Amino acid sequence: MNRIKILTTLILFVLFLVAGAASQAASTASSVLKTPTEAFSVKNATLLVITLDIEKDWYTYADDPGDTGKPTKLSGTTADGHPVTPFYPEGIQKPDSFDPSVTINAYKNGTRLFALIPAEATAPFPITLTLDMLLCHPTKCVPIRRTLTFGTPEIDATTLAPAMDQPWWPQFLSLAHVKNPTAPPPPATAKATTIQDATRADTGTIQWEFTPQYLQPGLEVASLLSAVLMGILAGLILNIMPCVLPVISLKLSALLNAATKDEASRVKAFREHNIFFVLGILSFFLFLGIVLGGTGQAWGALFQNKWLVLGMAGLILAPVSQPVRPLPSASH
């Protein structure tokens, strides 16, 4: 019973560290990256400007990240349901911090992202934007999925400052390939997954193809029966992998204990073992999913927290501190 209490306490402690690490990662991202947003008028449309205020030595990958990296993506909708059209500047070329042989395109402090609100949006405010990026430092990276809400229904778009008077206006013109600054913006149905012409009527829509391409199609598991059989085989193989060798003694102990009991006791113990095993896995991953989903963090990023690593190490080493008992024999 004491062992169960100790193990339960350690598991709860690690779960607490996981939640704390996720919260700390989210807090780090909040302090490292600020996203002041402003709105300007462009003819009969509205342009949002999101400035990436990033601390020194930090950066994020550009929309076109280069040879590696997660691309920065901006999306959003107006209050009346019209999608905004994002425009991304080119990134600054630099060696990747984790693989200097690879060149990436990075966004650094002061980079501006643009979101064009279509003229068809008669009641655009408040506008909800989603910014998805990987914020990196020479020693670590933190995934960010941030929701931005801009404006109130009382905002009158006609009273906004004109975008053409802003110092960044030439940059936006170059991104949009504008030939005539007074031409109307594109229709709301135009999709700008890459930089497109924001003022020409003949703006095309890129058609993306997301059909997966398998490296070795002949080895792809295509049927449910094959998937089930492969899963069973993988489970059997897992029992002889080095990562489960420390558990073999526990399995042998359970089998030897079961051999000394009657049939009813063995069935009861088997059911209890499987029920609590499944409930333990489901509880842990449900908790983990809630924490990571709520904070927008990644599991691997949490292990950059030293206290979480120490807590996991303590959980692994805890059985070593317990007194060793000989395995029961079938004859006793």
Side-chain angles (χ1 to χ4, degrees), residues 24-274:
Q24 183 181 8
S27 176
T28 299
S30 178
S31 62
V32 169
L33 172 69
K34 294 180 174 57
T35 52
T37 305
E38 300 175 283
F40 301 89
S41 63
V42 182
K43 190 65 175 178
N44 58 344
T46 304
L47 184 66
L48 293 184
V49 181
I50 301 94
T51 303
L52 303 182
D53 187 359
I54 307 174
E55 286 193 359
K56 183 181 179 181
D57 296 331
W58 288 79
Y59 66 92
T60 184
Y61 293 93
D63 169 57
D64 176 12
D67 297 333
T68 188
K70 177 182 178 181
T72 293
K73 291 298 178 185
L74 176 67
S75 60
T77 56
T78 62
D80 50 2
H82 290 82
V84 303
T85 304
F87 292 90
Y88 305 97
E90 294 182 358
I92 300 173
Q93 289 192 344
K94 66 179 291 293
D96 186 60
S97 297
F98 305 99
D99 185 0
S101 65
V102 175
T103 300
I104 64 167
N105 300 321
Y107 289 157
K108 296 187 176 183
N109 181 45
T111 300
R112 294 184 179 89
L113 306 179
F114 302 93
L116 187 64
I117 303 170
E120 289 80 0
T122 55
F125 300 101
I127 298 170
T128 302
L129 301 172
T130 301
L131 185 61
D132 194 6
M133 61 170 58
L134 185 64
L135 193 62
C136 291
H137 184 271
T139 60
K140 59 183 176 179
C141 286
V142 179
I144 292 179
R145 188 184 302 112
R146 181 173 296 182
T147 300
L148 310 174
T149 302
F150 179 84
T152 62
E154 293 75 22
I155 292 181
D156 183 1
T158 61
T159 63
L160 298 174
M164 288 183 288
D165 295 341
Q166 306 306 314
W168 43 258
W169 178 247
Q171 180 190 17
F172 177 73
L173 291 184
S174 64
L175 295 178
H177 303 291
V178 176
K179 294 182 179 180
N180 181 5
T182 61
T189 55
K191 298 179 181 179
T193 51
T194 59
I195 297 173
Q196 299 185 25
D197 194 330
T199 60
R200 293 183 297 179
D202 60 345
T203 299
T205 300
I206 294 178
Q207 300 297 328
W208 294 99
E209 177 60 46
F210 291 107
T211 302
Q213 301 293 325
Y214 305 114
L215 180 62
Q216 294 179 303
L219 299 179
E220 179 63 24
V221 178
S223 67
L224 178 60
L225 179 60
S226 299
V228 171
L229 293 176
M230 292 296 291
I232 294 175
L233 178 61
L236 294 175
I237 295 176
L238 181 63
N239 283 275
I240 59 173
M241 296 296 289
C243 58
V244 298
L245 289 179
V247 188
I248 291 180
S249 61
L250 301 178
K251 292 185 176 182
L252 290 175
S253 176
L255 290 174
L256 293 174
N257 279 327
T260 63
K261 300 178 181 178
D262 56 50
E263 181 67 20
S265 298
R266 287 198 298 269
V267 172
K268 180 182 178 181
F270 178 80
R271 288 176 177 173
E272 289 181 351
H273 171 80
N274 284 279

